[in-house]
Amino acid sequence: MSDSPVSLSEIMPGGSASVVAMDPSIAGMQRLQEMGLLPGTAVKVVRRAPLGDPIELEVRGYKLSIRKAEAAGVTVRPT
């Protein structure tokens, strides 16, 4: 996988990335920031629901489930 920035929704289960930017116009983005999903944060995609929504992440040592639409508003750099 290239190390150019992509949407978090494009990272496959088992993949890791670092948050680069977040789209503040996406509903729920402030809540995600309050939960620790901030630029520079390392995230790992743990799994996806069968239809791809929600997505379970590991962030700062805890599990966080977010909607696919929210993940689409998070730009990450694969690691």
Side-chain angles (χ1 to χ4, degrees), residues 14-64:
S16 298
S18 176
V19 176
V20 174
M22 302 176 76
D23 182 350
S25 68
I26 302 291
M29 201 58 69
Q30 182 176 353
R31 179 182 57 88
L32 295 178
Q33 291 175 329
E34 291 170 353
M35 297 178 79
L37 195 63
L38 298 165
T41 303
V43 298
K44 178 179 180 181
V45 176
V46 177
R47 69 180 129 215
R48 294 172 186 262
L51 297 178
D53 196 19
I55 300 169
E56 184 176 289
L57 307 173
E58 186 173 313
V59 179
R60 299 179 188 261
Y62 68 91
K63 301 287 195 308
L64 175 66

